[in-house]
Structures are given as C-alpha cells and as structure tokens.
Amino acid sequence: MKVTKIVFYLAAWWLGIGVVAAQPNCNLQITGMVVDEEDHEESLPFAALYIREADMVTTTEDDGSFAFRGLCPGVKYHLEVHFVGHVEFHEDLVLTRDTVLEIRMRADDVVLDEIEVVGTRVQEHTLEQATRLEATELRQTRNQALGKMLEGINGVRSLQSGPSVFKPVIHGLHSNRILIYQNDIRLEGQQWGTEHAPEIDPFQAERVAVLKGAPAVRYGAEAIGGVVVIDPPALPEEEGWAGEVNLNGSTNGRMGSVATQLEHGSALVKGLGWRVQGSLKRAGDFHAPEYGLANTGVREANVSGAVGMTRTAWKGELFASHFSSNNGILRSAHIGNLTDLNLALAADTPFFQQPFTYEILNPQQRINHTLAKLDIELPMADWGGLDIIYGFQRNARQEFDVRRGGRDTIPALDLSLFTNTLDIHYHHPLRGRWKGTVGITGMSKANRNEPGTGVSPLIPAYRLGRGSVFAMEQYIQDTWEVEAGARYDVQGQTVTCNVRGDLITSPFFFQNVSATVGGLYKFSEQV
C-alpha cells in the first residue's frame, strides 16, 4: 500500500511540473501610434482598438499612442481599429517578442442622405409695436419693483424716488400718461405723485409687454406714452398638479423675498383649473457706498387666486388679488422749507443718520390694493369671439408724516379709491382682406378722503363716470397693410371741496375723440 501511494504522489508531482512548464510566459506587449494615412504626422486621438482573443479594449491618447500589455507568445491575435470617418483597420499578429506598430488609417468617404428643410414665413399682420419680457427674463428681476423690471425693455426707463419706489417712464412720460393693465384690468390707483409706484406683485407676472403704435387707441386716450400689459400664467386645463417656490436675496438692505405658487387641473371636472399664489418681501435700511439711507425699509405681503373653466361654447375665469406694502421714506428727504432743501443739497451726506434697522418710522406709506375680475369668453367659430370683463378695485393709501403732539399714528393723508369697470369686446377674424375689433367700456370711480387726519385733503373727494366706444380695422394686402382706429370718450365728474368749512360741489363734463392711422409696406419677404 505504501509503495502504491508513493508512486501516485510522484506521478502527480511530475505531471504538475509538466503543466507549469507548459504554461507560457504572458508578459509581452503591443505599443504604437495610430495616424492618418495621408498625413503621417496627424495622430488620431480616441481611436478604439480591440483584441478579441484577449478580450482587451483601449483607446489612443491625445498624441495617438496606445498600449496592450499581458499578451502571450505564440498565440494568434486579431487586432481591430476604429475611428470615425476612417476605414476600419484589421491585422492578425502572432507575438514572439514586444511589438511596436504604426497603424495608418485611411479616410473614408461619408455620403449623407439629402435633407430638405421647407418652411413658410409667418405673416404677422399687425402694426402694433410690442416689446416683451418672458418668464425666463422676469425670473432674474422678480425681487425688484415693476418699474425696475421694465428697464430691461428698450426705450423704457424708471423714475425712482426711493430704493423701492420705481415708476415706468416711456418716451419721457409717466404716471397718468402711461396705462398699466394687470390681467386685462386697467390698474387704478393714486399715482399723481412721483413716489406713487404701481401696486403690482412682480411674482404674479409670466409675461410683461410694452405696447405702442396704432392699436393703443383701444386702451384709452391716456395711453400717450404706451401701455404696459402684465399677464399671469394661463390656468391649467389638463389634469395634474404643479407648483414652484422662489427665494431671492440682496445684500443691500439685507432684503429677502419668498414666493410660492400651486396650481391644479381637475380630474373630476374636465377643463376646471385653479391657482393660488403668494409672496412676502422684507428689507431694512438701504445704503449708498459712503453712508446709510435711514428709514428706507420695505415690507410687502401679497396673495392672489384664480379659478377657471373651459368649455366648447364658453370659457370663464374668476381672479382676485391683494397687494399690501409698507414703504419707509428717506428721513433726510423730509424737507419743511426752502432753506432745509438748500442745506440738504449742499451736504455731502444725509443729515439724519442711524444704525441699520428693519423698523419703518415716519415718514412712511401704507398701501393696500384689492382687485377682482370676472372674465367670460364666448367663441363664435368663424364669426370671431366676444369677451366680457368685469373688474373691481379698491386702492387705499395712507401717508404718515413726522408730526408732533402724539399724532404720529394718525395719517396725514388717507384716501380710498373705488373703481368698477366693464369691457365688452368683439373681434372678428380675417375675412377677405379685413380684420378688426370693436368694443364698449364703462367705468365708475369714487375717491373718498377718510376723516380724522387733521389735515386739509390734498386730493378732493370726487365721483366719476365714463363711457367709451372704439373700433379698429385692418386692411391687409400681400405686401402692405393699413390700420385705422377711432375712439369716443364721454366723462362726467363731480368734485366736492371743503372751502373754509363749506362743502362746495362742482360738476364737470368732458368729451374726447381720438383716432389713429398707420401703414406698413413690405419691401421684401426677407424683412
């Protein structure tokens, strides 16, 4: 038995030695360069090389070099090389030692199938001069006031009377010479002062446009400088939820703002959608490079909501928003007489200084603006469509001055402006060579001075009623078009003034006719 085991172990040891001796020494390598066949000095970086038998893949370096290591002698290897725009390279190799190759790749003729792009130029039959800011551009400036946002439009500047008070200026005109439409409602507020900024939350806007030209007659005779149109996003009509959160910050004034929005398209009622939106902003005293600006803080709280329904025969939307703002007025700008004004202008720094604070003291403004809208659209197929819009607004403005005798909490100016508007527009599509719009508008306004201010009202109480009718038509040819519009306004106004303790009421009546005509000629289809 022992002899048998010894013979078995010796045989196994001998066979093992034989197997080891038969195993080749796999330490050979292939190195080299991949170059272009026509220009040998042009290396081909990132060419793909593959040895199937060894299951090895590599790519050339930036200078066209490559290397395969750990290859066995006496084994037949098939080398493949691929490079975009060149014919594949194939070669069989049997290694006996380290090998260096120069692989020359021949350029391949690449023929692409023909691609034909056909398009037609969209004919925009309009003489309206419109410049717009879309959502992407607005996101970059939403932390700022509306007037500052509009500076991104050519030809529009702003009239600034404080770090947060901007009024848009178009062709040198502002305030009552520029109309602002928010969600199809003409914005009505106390804007007779340079420090009276539009009461609009920038986070509600998805598109902002400045309109000039012939069609401005539709909006009213006051649109001398132009019309600023602010549109919110369209309400969702398809099923699903969507929302967003915006956070903004600024070092000047240590200002921060947050805005949220949530919307939903109903799955139960097809065509029903709603949206809620809100924003908060707060800033403390702003500063110039060399000094602080005392009492220039800002606080804003805004909210809006909308619900709409879309049907085949009609479309309706109900919208409501509330804007609330508290703005500090630069304390050093509070001038009581001409002597103080001259001293302030001559000073290198404001005469009133204080450490940074978020507190807002007198002088200051408190503004609350509420807007509601009901919009019904009635499409009439080939006959165009009818749009009926009712709007309500209440603008409350309180201005606080530096007062003695414990009257700092009593506003020196306390105004409430109530406005009701009704707009009915019919627009017909292009028929033959004609297209246009006709409409009627009605407005009632009531300005009330709240009692108890202890100051004679700067703006008297009044009631105003206005009716308007307008029409616009376009005649369109292939290379030219003409557009004309006319508008007639009639207005009655009753003003009540307190003259030495006596209330005097004076009626006024105004009529106005405005018209415009414009033409456009296309010298070429490429312009």
Side-chain angles (χ1 to χ4, degrees), residues 334-389:
H334 183 70
I335 304 300
N337 51 59
L338 187 59
T339 301
D340 292 341
L341 175 62
N342 290 329
L343 290 174
L345 293 176
D348 294 332
T349 60
F351 61 83
F352 188 87
Q353 295 284 321
Q354 68 179 21
F356 174 87
T357 179
Y358 282 100
E359 185 179 10
I360 299 176
L361 303 173
N362 291 351
Q364 61 175 297
Q365 301 175 349
R366 296 177 187 172
I367 303 101
N368 288 277
H369 187 89
T370 302
L371 184 147
K373 164 199 165 182
L374 175 62
D375 186 358
I376 298 176
E377 297 181 21
L378 302 173
M380 300 178 180
D382 295 337
W383 292 94
L386 187 68
D387 196 4
I388 304 172
I389 303 175

CSV table of all heavy atoms in Angstrom, one decimal, residues 334-389:
chain,number,residue,atom,x,y,z
A,334,HIS,N,-37.2,114.6,4.1
A,334,HIS,CA,-38.3,115.3,4.7
A,334,HIS,C,-38.0,116.7,4.8
A,334,HIS,O,-37.3,117.1,5.8
A,334,HIS,CB,-38.7,114.6,6.0
A,334,HIS,CG,-39.9,115.2,6.6
A,334,HIS,ND1,-41.2,115.1,6.1
A,334,HIS,CD2,-40.1,116.0,7.7
A,334,HIS,CE1,-42.1,115.7,6.9
A,334,HIS,NE2,-41.4,116.3,7.9
A,335,ILE,N,-38.4,117.5,3.9
A,335,ILE,CA,-38.0,118.9,3.8
A,335,ILE,C,-39.2,119.8,4.2
A,335,ILE,O,-40.3,119.6,3.7
A,335,ILE,CB,-37.5,119.3,2.4
A,335,ILE,CG1,-36.3,118.4,2.0
A,335,ILE,CG2,-37.1,120.8,2.4
A,335,ILE,CD1,-35.2,118.5,2.9
A,336,GLY,N,-39.0,120.7,5.1
A,336,GLY,CA,-40.1,121.6,5.6
A,336,GLY,C,-40.1,122.9,4.9
A,336,GLY,O,-41.2,123.6,4.8
A,337,ASN,N,-39.0,123.4,4.4
A,337,ASN,CA,-39.0,124.7,3.7
A,337,ASN,C,-37.8,124.8,2.7
A,337,ASN,O,-37.0,123.8,2.6
A,337,ASN,CB,-38.8,125.9,4.8
A,337,ASN,CG,-37.7,125.6,5.7
A,337,ASN,OD1,-36.5,125.5,5.3
A,337,ASN,ND2,-38.0,125.5,7.0
A,338,LEU,N,-37.7,125.9,2.0
A,338,LEU,CA,-36.6,126.0,1.0
A,338,LEU,C,-35.2,126.0,1.6
A,338,LEU,O,-34.3,125.5,1.0
A,338,LEU,CB,-36.9,127.3,0.2
A,338,LEU,CG,-36.0,127.5,-1.0
A,338,LEU,CD1,-36.2,126.3,-2.0
A,338,LEU,CD2,-36.3,128.8,-1.7
A,339,THR,N,-35.1,126.6,2.8
A,339,THR,CA,-33.8,126.6,3.5
A,339,THR,C,-33.3,125.2,3.8
A,339,THR,O,-32.1,124.9,3.5
A,339,THR,CB,-33.9,127.4,4.8
A,339,THR,OG1,-34.3,128.8,4.5
A,339,THR,CG2,-32.5,127.5,5.5
A,340,ASP,N,-34.2,124.4,4.3
A,340,ASP,CA,-33.8,123.0,4.5
A,340,ASP,C,-33.4,122.3,3.3
A,340,ASP,O,-32.5,121.4,3.2
A,340,ASP,CB,-35.0,122.2,5.2
A,340,ASP,CG,-35.2,122.8,6.6
A,340,ASP,OD1,-34.3,123.4,7.2
A,340,ASP,OD2,-36.3,122.5,7.2
A,341,LEU,N,-34.1,122.6,2.2
A,341,LEU,CA,-33.8,121.9,0.9
A,341,LEU,C,-32.4,122.3,0.4
A,341,LEU,O,-31.6,121.4,0.0
A,341,LEU,CB,-34.8,122.3,-0.1
A,341,LEU,CG,-34.6,121.8,-1.6
A,341,LEU,CD1,-34.6,120.3,-1.6
A,341,LEU,CD2,-35.6,122.3,-2.5
A,342,ASN,N,-32.1,123.6,0.5
A,342,ASN,CA,-30.7,124.0,0.1
A,342,ASN,C,-29.6,123.4,1.0
A,342,ASN,O,-28.6,123.0,0.5
A,342,ASN,CB,-30.6,125.5,0.1
A,342,ASN,CG,-31.5,126.2,-1.0
A,342,ASN,OD1,-31.7,125.6,-2.0
A,342,ASN,ND2,-32.0,127.4,-0.7
A,343,LEU,N,-29.9,123.3,2.3
A,343,LEU,CA,-28.9,122.7,3.2
A,343,LEU,C,-28.7,121.2,2.8
A,343,LEU,O,-27.6,120.7,2.9
A,343,LEU,CB,-29.3,122.9,4.6
A,343,LEU,CG,-29.3,124.3,5.2
A,343,LEU,CD1,-29.9,124.3,6.6
A,343,LEU,CD2,-27.8,124.8,5.2
A,344,ALA,N,-29.8,120.5,2.5
A,344,ALA,CA,-29.7,119.1,2.2
A,344,ALA,C,-28.9,118.9,0.9
A,344,ALA,O,-28.1,117.9,0.8
A,344,ALA,CB,-31.1,118.5,2.1
A,345,LEU,N,-29.2,119.7,-0.1
A,345,LEU,CA,-28.5,119.6,-1.4
A,345,LEU,C,-27.0,119.9,-1.2
A,345,LEU,O,-26.2,119.3,-2.0
A,345,LEU,CB,-29.1,120.5,-2.4
A,345,LEU,CG,-30.5,120.2,-2.8
A,345,LEU,CD1,-31.1,121.2,-3.8
A,345,LEU,CD2,-30.6,118.8,-3.5
A,346,ALA,N,-26.6,120.8,-0.3
A,346,ALA,CA,-25.2,121.1,-0.2
A,346,ALA,C,-24.4,120.1,0.7
A,346,ALA,O,-23.2,120.1,0.7
A,346,ALA,CB,-25.1,122.5,0.4
A,347,ALA,N,-25.1,119.3,1.5
A,347,ALA,CA,-24.5,118.4,2.4
A,347,ALA,C,-23.9,117.2,1.6
A,347,ALA,O,-24.4,116.7,0.6
A,347,ALA,CB,-25.5,117.9,3.4
A,348,ASP,N,-22.7,116.7,2.1
A,348,ASP,CA,-22.0,115.6,1.5
A,348,ASP,C,-22.7,114.3,1.9
A,348,ASP,O,-22.7,113.3,1.1
A,348,ASP,CB,-20.6,115.5,1.9
A,348,ASP,CG,-19.8,116.7,1.4
A,348,ASP,OD1,-20.1,117.2,0.3
A,348,ASP,OD2,-18.8,117.1,2.0
A,349,THR,N,-23.3,114.2,3.0
A,349,THR,CA,-24.0,113.0,3.5
A,349,THR,C,-25.4,113.5,4.0
A,349,THR,O,-25.5,114.6,4.5
A,349,THR,CB,-23.2,112.3,4.6
A,349,THR,OG1,-23.0,113.2,5.7
A,349,THR,CG2,-21.9,111.8,4.0
A,350,PRO,N,-26.4,112.6,4.1
A,350,PRO,CA,-27.6,112.9,4.7
A,350,PRO,C,-27.5,113.4,6.1
A,350,PRO,O,-26.7,112.8,6.9
A,350,PRO,CB,-28.4,111.6,4.6
A,350,PRO,CG,-27.8,110.9,3.5
A,350,PRO,CD,-26.4,111.2,3.5
A,351,PHE,N,-28.2,114.4,6.5
A,351,PHE,CA,-28.1,115.0,7.9
A,351,PHE,C,-28.6,114.0,8.9
A,351,PHE,O,-28.3,114.2,10.1
A,351,PHE,CB,-28.7,116.4,8.0
A,351,PHE,CG,-30.2,116.4,7.7
A,351,PHE,CD1,-31.1,116.1,8.7
A,351,PHE,CD2,-30.7,116.7,6.4
A,351,PHE,CE1,-32.4,116.1,8.4
A,351,PHE,CE2,-32.0,116.8,6.2
A,351,PHE,CZ,-32.9,116.4,7.2
A,352,PHE,N,-29.5,113.1,8.5
A,352,PHE,CA,-30.1,112.2,9.5
A,352,PHE,C,-29.5,110.8,9.3
A,352,PHE,O,-29.7,110.2,8.3
A,352,PHE,CB,-31.6,112.2,9.3
A,352,PHE,CG,-32.3,111.4,10.4
A,352,PHE,CD1,-32.7,112.0,11.6
A,352,PHE,CD2,-32.6,110.0,10.3
A,352,PHE,CE1,-33.4,111.3,12.6
A,352,PHE,CE2,-33.2,109.3,11.3
A,352,PHE,CZ,-33.6,109.9,12.4
A,353,GLN,N,-28.8,110.3,10.3
A,353,GLN,CA,-28.2,109.0,10.2
A,353,GLN,C,-28.6,108.2,11.4
A,353,GLN,O,-28.9,108.7,12.5
A,353,GLN,CB,-26.6,109.2,10.3
A,353,GLN,CG,-26.0,109.9,9.1
A,353,GLN,CD,-26.0,109.0,7.8
A,353,GLN,OE1,-25.8,107.8,7.9
A,353,GLN,NE2,-26.4,109.6,6.7
A,354,GLN,N,-28.6,106.8,11.2
A,354,GLN,CA,-29.0,105.9,12.3
A,354,GLN,C,-28.4,104.5,12.0
A,354,GLN,O,-28.2,104.2,10.8
A,354,GLN,CB,-30.5,105.8,12.5
A,354,GLN,CG,-31.2,105.1,11.3
A,354,GLN,CD,-32.7,105.0,11.6
A,354,GLN,OE1,-33.3,105.8,12.4
A,354,GLN,NE2,-33.4,104.1,10.9
A,355,PRO,N,-28.2,103.7,13.0
A,355,PRO,CA,-27.7,102.3,12.7
A,355,PRO,C,-28.8,101.5,11.9
A,355,PRO,O,-30.0,101.9,11.9
A,355,PRO,CB,-27.5,101.7,14.1
A,355,PRO,CG,-27.5,102.9,15.0
A,355,PRO,CD,-28.3,103.9,14.4
A,356,PHE,N,-28.3,100.5,11.2
A,356,PHE,CA,-29.2,99.7,10.3
A,356,PHE,C,-30.3,99.1,11.2
A,356,PHE,O,-30.2,98.7,12.3
A,356,PHE,CB,-28.5,98.6,9.7
A,356,PHE,CG,-29.3,97.6,8.9
A,356,PHE,CD1,-29.7,97.9,7.6
A,356,PHE,CD2,-29.8,96.5,9.6
A,356,PHE,CE1,-30.5,97.0,6.9
A,356,PHE,CE2,-30.7,95.6,8.9
A,356,PHE,CZ,-31.0,95.9,7.6
A,357,THR,N,-31.5,99.1,10.6
A,357,THR,CA,-32.7,98.6,11.3
A,357,THR,C,-33.7,98.2,10.3
A,357,THR,O,-33.8,98.8,9.2
A,357,THR,CB,-33.3,99.6,12.3
A,357,THR,OG1,-34.5,99.0,12.9
A,357,THR,CG2,-33.7,100.9,11.6
A,358,TYR,N,-34.6,97.2,10.6
A,358,TYR,CA,-35.7,96.8,9.8
A,358,TYR,C,-37.0,97.6,10.1
A,358,TYR,O,-38.0,97.5,9.5
A,358,TYR,CB,-36.0,95.3,9.9
A,358,TYR,CG,-35.1,94.4,9.1
A,358,TYR,CD1,-34.0,93.8,9.8
A,358,TYR,CD2,-35.3,94.2,7.8
A,358,TYR,CE1,-33.2,93.0,9.0
A,358,TYR,CE2,-34.5,93.4,7.1
A,358,TYR,CZ,-33.4,92.8,7.7
A,358,TYR,OH,-32.6,91.9,7.0
A,359,GLU,N,-36.9,98.4,11.2
A,359,GLU,CA,-38.0,99.2,11.6
A,359,GLU,C,-38.3,100.3,10.6
A,359,GLU,O,-37.4,101.0,10.2
A,359,GLU,CB,-37.8,99.8,13.0
A,359,GLU,CG,-39.0,100.5,13.6
A,359,GLU,CD,-38.7,101.0,15.0
A,359,GLU,OE1,-37.5,101.0,15.4
A,359,GLU,OE2,-39.7,101.5,15.7
A,360,ILE,N,-39.6,100.6,10.4
A,360,ILE,CA,-40.0,101.6,9.5
A,360,ILE,C,-40.7,102.7,10.3
A,360,ILE,O,-41.7,102.4,11.0
A,360,ILE,CB,-41.0,101.1,8.4
A,360,ILE,CG1,-40.2,100.1,7.5
A,360,ILE,CG2,-41.5,102.2,7.5
A,360,ILE,CD1,-41.1,99.4,6.5
A,361,LEU,N,-40.2,103.9,10.3
A,361,LEU,CA,-40.7,105.0,11.0
A,361,LEU,C,-41.3,106.0,10.1
A,361,LEU,O,-41.2,105.9,8.9
A,361,LEU,CB,-39.6,105.6,11.9
A,361,LEU,CG,-38.9,104.7,12.9
A,361,LEU,CD1,-37.8,105.4,13.6
A,361,LEU,CD2,-39.9,104.1,13.9
A,362,ASN,N,-41.9,107.1,10.6
A,362,ASN,CA,-42.4,108.2,9.8
A,362,ASN,C,-41.2,109.0,9.3
A,362,ASN,O,-40.2,109.2,10.0
A,362,ASN,CB,-43.3,109.1,10.6
A,362,ASN,CG,-44.6,108.4,11.0
A,362,ASN,OD1,-44.9,107.3,10.5
A,362,ASN,ND2,-45.4,109.0,11.8
A,363,PRO,N,-41.3,109.5,8.0
A,363,PRO,CA,-42.4,109.4,7.1
A,363,PRO,C,-42.5,108.0,6.4
A,363,PRO,O,-41.5,107.5,6.1
A,363,PRO,CB,-42.2,110.5,6.1
A,363,PRO,CG,-40.7,110.7,6.1
A,363,PRO,CD,-40.3,110.4,7.6
A,364,GLN,N,-43.7,107.6,6.1
A,364,GLN,CA,-43.9,106.3,5.5
A,364,GLN,C,-45.2,106.2,4.8
A,364,GLN,O,-46.1,107.1,4.9
A,364,GLN,CB,-43.9,105.2,6.6
A,364,GLN,CG,-45.0,105.3,7.6
A,364,GLN,CD,-45.0,104.2,8.6
A,364,GLN,OE1,-45.2,103.0,8.2
A,364,GLN,NE2,-44.7,104.5,9.9
A,365,GLN,N,-45.3,105.2,3.9
A,365,GLN,CA,-46.6,104.9,3.2
A,365,GLN,C,-47.1,103.5,3.5
A,365,GLN,O,-46.3,102.6,3.7
A,365,GLN,CB,-46.3,105.0,1.7
A,365,GLN,CG,-45.8,106.3,1.1
A,365,GLN,CD,-45.5,106.2,-0.4
A,365,GLN,OE1,-45.4,105.1,-0.9
A,365,GLN,NE2,-45.2,107.3,-1.0
A,366,ARG,N,-48.4,103.4,3.5
A,366,ARG,CA,-49.0,102.1,3.7
A,366,ARG,C,-50.1,102.0,2.6
A,366,ARG,O,-51.0,102.8,2.5
A,366,ARG,CB,-49.7,101.9,5.0
A,366,ARG,CG,-48.6,101.9,6.2
A,366,ARG,CD,-49.3,101.8,7.5
A,366,ARG,NE,-48.4,102.0,8.6
A,366,ARG,CZ,-48.7,102.0,9.9
A,366,ARG,NH1,-50.0,102.0,10.3
A,366,ARG,NH2,-47.8,102.2,10.8
A,367,ILE,N,-49.9,101.0,1.7
A,367,ILE,CA,-50.8,100.9,0.6
A,367,ILE,C,-51.4,99.5,0.6
A,367,ILE,O,-50.7,98.5,0.8
A,367,ILE,CB,-50.0,101.1,-0.8
A,367,ILE,CG1,-49.4,102.5,-0.8
A,367,ILE,CG2,-51.0,101.0,-1.9
A,367,ILE,CD1,-47.9,102.4,-0.5
A,368,ASN,N,-52.7,99.5,0.3
A,368,ASN,CA,-53.4,98.2,0.1
A,368,ASN,C,-54.3,98.3,-1.1
A,368,ASN,O,-55.1,99.2,-1.3
A,368,ASN,CB,-54.4,97.9,1.3
A,368,ASN,CG,-53.6,97.5,2.6
A,368,ASN,OD1,-53.2,96.4,2.8
A,368,ASN,ND2,-53.3,98.5,3.4
A,369,HIS,N,-54.1,97.3,-2.0
A,369,HIS,CA,-54.8,97.3,-3.3
A,369,HIS,C,-55.4,96.0,-3.5
A,369,HIS,O,-54.8,94.9,-3.5
A,369,HIS,CB,-53.8,97.6,-4.4
A,369,HIS,CG,-54.5,97.8,-5.8
A,369,HIS,ND1,-55.0,99.0,-6.2
A,369,HIS,CD2,-54.9,96.9,-6.7
A,369,HIS,CE1,-55.6,98.9,-7.4
A,369,HIS,NE2,-55.5,97.6,-7.7
A,370,THR,N,-56.8,96.0,-3.7
A,370,THR,CA,-57.5,94.8,-3.9
A,370,THR,C,-58.1,94.8,-5.3
A,370,THR,O,-58.7,95.8,-5.7
A,370,THR,CB,-58.7,94.6,-2.8
A,370,THR,OG1,-58.1,94.6,-1.5
A,370,THR,CG2,-59.4,93.3,-3.0
A,371,LEU,N,-58.0,93.7,-6.0
A,371,LEU,CA,-58.5,93.6,-7.4
A,371,LEU,C,-59.3,92.3,-7.5
A,371,LEU,O,-58.8,91.3,-7.1
A,371,LEU,CB,-57.4,93.7,-8.4
A,371,LEU,CG,-57.7,93.7,-9.9
A,371,LEU,CD1,-56.7,94.6,-10.6
A,371,LEU,CD2,-57.7,92.3,-10.4
A,372,ALA,N,-60.4,92.4,-8.2
A,372,ALA,CA,-61.2,91.2,-8.5
A,372,ALA,C,-61.7,91.3,-10.0
A,372,ALA,O,-62.0,92.4,-10.5
A,372,ALA,CB,-62.4,91.1,-7.6
A,373,LYS,N,-61.7,90.2,-10.7
A,373,LYS,CA,-62.0,90.2,-12.1
A,373,LYS,C,-62.9,88.9,-12.4
A,373,LYS,O,-62.6,87.8,-12.0
A,373,LYS,CB,-60.8,90.1,-12.9
A,373,LYS,CG,-60.9,89.7,-14.4
A,373,LYS,CD,-59.6,89.3,-15.0
A,373,LYS,CE,-59.8,88.5,-16.3
A,373,LYS,NZ,-58.6,88.1,-16.9
A,374,LEU,N,-63.9,89.2,-13.3
A,374,LEU,CA,-64.7,88.1,-13.9
A,374,LEU,C,-64.6,88.2,-15.4
A,374,LEU,O,-65.0,89.3,-15.9
A,374,LEU,CB,-66.2,88.2,-13.4
A,374,LEU,CG,-67.1,87.1,-14.0
A,374,LEU,CD1,-66.7,85.7,-13.7
A,374,LEU,CD2,-68.5,87.4,-13.6
A,375,ASP,N,-64.1,87.2,-16.0
A,375,ASP,CA,-63.9,87.2,-17.5
A,375,ASP,C,-64.7,86.1,-18.1
A,375,ASP,O,-64.5,84.9,-17.7
A,375,ASP,CB,-62.4,87.1,-17.8
A,375,ASP,CG,-62.1,87.2,-19.3
A,375,ASP,OD1,-63.0,87.4,-20.0
A,375,ASP,OD2,-60.9,87.2,-19.6
A,376,ILE,N,-65.5,86.4,-19.1
A,376,ILE,CA,-66.3,85.4,-19.8
A,376,ILE,C,-66.0,85.5,-21.3
A,376,ILE,O,-66.2,86.6,-21.9
A,376,ILE,CB,-67.8,85.5,-19.6
A,376,ILE,CG1,-68.1,85.3,-18.1
A,376,ILE,CG2,-68.6,84.5,-20.4
A,376,ILE,CD1,-69.5,85.5,-17.8
A,377,GLU,N,-65.5,84.5,-22.0
A,377,GLU,CA,-65.2,84.5,-23.4
A,377,GLU,C,-66.2,83.6,-24.1
A,377,GLU,O,-66.4,82.4,-23.7
A,377,GLU,CB,-63.8,84.0,-23.7
A,377,GLU,CG,-62.7,84.9,-23.1
A,377,GLU,CD,-61.3,84.4,-23.4
A,377,GLU,OE1,-61.2,83.6,-24.4
A,377,GLU,OE2,-60.4,84.7,-22.6
A,378,LEU,N,-66.7,84.1,-25.2
A,378,LEU,CA,-67.7,83.3,-26.0
A,378,LEU,C,-67.2,83.2,-27.4
A,378,LEU,O,-67.4,84.1,-28.2
A,378,LEU,CB,-69.1,84.1,-26.0
A,378,LEU,CG,-69.7,84.3,-24.6
A,378,LEU,CD1,-70.9,85.2,-24.7
A,378,LEU,CD2,-70.0,83.0,-23.9
A,379,PRO,N,-66.6,82.1,-27.7
A,379,PRO,CA,-66.1,81.9,-29.1
A,379,PRO,C,-67.3,81.7,-30.1
A,379,PRO,O,-68.3,81.1,-29.7
A,379,PRO,CB,-65.2,80.7,-29.0
A,379,PRO,CG,-65.7,79.9,-27.8
A,379,PRO,CD,-66.2,81.0,-26.9
A,380,MET,N,-67.2,82.2,-31.3
A,380,MET,CA,-68.3,82.1,-32.3
A,380,MET,C,-67.8,81.5,-33.6
A,380,MET,O,-68.2,81.9,-34.7
A,380,MET,CB,-68.8,83.5,-32.5
A,380,MET,CG,-69.4,84.2,-31.3
A,380,MET,SD,-70.0,85.9,-31.7
A,380,MET,CE,-70.5,86.4,-30.1
A,381,ALA,N,-66.9,80.5,-33.4
A,381,ALA,CA,-66.4,79.8,-34.6
A,381,ALA,C,-65.9,80.7,-35.7
A,381,ALA,O,-65.0,81.6,-35.4
A,381,ALA,CB,-67.5,78.9,-35.2
A,382,ASP,N,-66.4,80.7,-36.9
A,382,ASP,CA,-65.9,81.5,-38.0
A,382,ASP,C,-66.3,83.0,-37.8
A,382,ASP,O,-65.8,83.8,-38.6
A,382,ASP,CB,-66.5,81.0,-39.3
A,382,ASP,CG,-66.0,79.6,-39.6
A,382,ASP,OD1,-64.9,79.3,-39.1
A,382,ASP,OD2,-66.6,78.9,-40.4
A,383,TRP,N,-67.1,83.3,-36.8
A,383,TRP,CA,-67.5,84.7,-36.6
A,383,TRP,C,-66.6,85.5,-35.6
A,383,TRP,O,-66.9,86.6,-35.3
A,383,TRP,CB,-69.0,84.7,-36.2
A,383,TRP,CG,-69.9,84.3,-37.2
A,383,TRP,CD1,-70.4,83.0,-37.4
A,383,TRP,CD2,-70.4,85.1,-38.3
A,383,TRP,NE1,-71.2,83.0,-38.5
A,383,TRP,CE2,-71.3,84.2,-39.1
A,383,TRP,CE3,-70.3,86.4,-38.7
A,383,TRP,CZ2,-71.9,84.6,-40.2
A,383,TRP,CZ3,-71.0,86.8,-39.8
A,383,TRP,CH2,-71.8,86.0,-40.6
A,384,GLY,N,-65.6,84.8,-35.1
A,384,GLY,CA,-64.7,85.5,-34.1
A,384,GLY,C,-65.1,85.2,-32.7
A,384,GLY,O,-65.3,84.0,-32.3
A,385,GLY,N,-65.2,86.2,-31.8
A,385,GLY,CA,-65.5,85.9,-30.4
A,385,GLY,C,-65.9,87.2,-29.7
A,385,GLY,O,-65.5,88.3,-30.1
A,386,LEU,N,-66.5,87.0,-28.6
A,386,LEU,CA,-67.0,88.0,-27.7
A,386,LEU,C,-66.3,87.9,-26.3
A,386,LEU,O,-66.3,86.7,-25.8
A,386,LEU,CB,-68.5,88.0,-27.6
A,386,LEU,CG,-69.2,89.2,-26.8
A,386,LEU,CD1,-69.0,90.5,-27.6
A,386,LEU,CD2,-70.6,88.9,-26.6
A,387,ASP,N,-65.8,88.9,-25.8
A,387,ASP,CA,-65.1,88.9,-24.5
A,387,ASP,C,-65.7,89.9,-23.6
A,387,ASP,O,-65.8,91.1,-23.9
A,387,ASP,CB,-63.6,89.2,-24.7
A,387,ASP,CG,-62.8,88.8,-23.4
A,387,ASP,OD1,-63.4,88.2,-22.5
A,387,ASP,OD2,-61.6,89.1,-23.4
A,388,ILE,N,-66.2,89.5,-22.4
A,388,ILE,CA,-66.9,90.3,-21.4
A,388,ILE,C,-66.0,90.3,-20.1
A,388,ILE,O,-65.8,89.2,-19.6
A,388,ILE,CB,-68.3,89.9,-21.1
A,388,ILE,CG1,-69.1,89.8,-22.4
A,388,ILE,CG2,-69.0,90.8,-20.1
A,388,ILE,CD1,-70.5,89.2,-22.3
A,389,ILE,N,-65.6,91.4,-19.7
A,389,ILE,CA,-64.7,91.5,-18.5
A,389,ILE,C,-65.3,92.5,-17.5
A,389,ILE,O,-65.4,93.7,-17.9
A,389,ILE,CB,-63.3,91.9,-18.9
A,389,ILE,CG1,-62.7,90.9,-19.9
A,389,ILE,CG2,-62.4,91.9,-17.6
A,389,ILE,CD1,-61.3,91.3,-20.4
